[in-house]
Amino acid sequence: MSTGVNFQLSSFCIIGAGAIGGLLGINLALDAKADVTLIARGTHLKAIQSNGLRLIRPDGTERLWENVKATDDLDSLEGDFDVIIIAVKSHQVELIAHKIERLCHKNTIIVTIQNGLPWWYFYKHGGELDGMQLKSLDPTERLWQHIRLDRIIGCIAFGAASISSPGVIHHSEGYGFPLGEPNRTNSERATALSKVLTTAGFRAPVRKDFREE
């Protein structure tokens, strides 16, 4: 059933522009022509601001994303985003969770990148554990309290990348970033996100069995 919402996903904020976040960002910007803002820190951020973000691909070829919008201050951002990608660990998100909703409009999607159990694992899981909070992953409950669960789409990173030097990401292998709705549906918004990521060069199918990946 159609929701009546037109999911035109053109603006992205990537919280955690490290290896995986930066890989997503540069390809979304250069291949999908998305408007991407990066949240980074330290010498990596300074290099991006001064020289742009450079990507070394698995085949050794390089590409450069110049004039990158990058900052370490969420409070400095104006307006809202169609998609917010969280590419940092849960304990790091705790510190800024209360600032995320301000960056959202009515239909903003929040994508959590993980290679393990997400803190919202049992949200709309079904069964007797449905809605159970994982205190080991969200001990302060700040994530559960401040990040709207109905915005979330999960994503697993099967790509391997590293920051070889500040402002330079080395992508060694893998383009898989499968997506999943918490309620296991193949929703319009998940399909729209899959299309954008596919345009950016990734393999991003929507999986009903996302939690089993």
Side-chain angles (χ1 to χ4, degrees), residues 13 39 43 89-90 104 164 168:
C13 177
I39 306 299
T43 57
K89 291 180 170 53
S90 296
C104 300
S164 56
V168 181

Side-chain angles (χ1 to χ4, degrees), residues 20 23 56-58 158-161 170-177 203:
I20 294 300
L23 172 65
I56 304 172
R57 297 172 176 175
F158 285 119
H170 183 201
H171 180 201
S172 53
E173 63 177 351
Y175 290 88
F177 286 85
R203 292 189 291 274

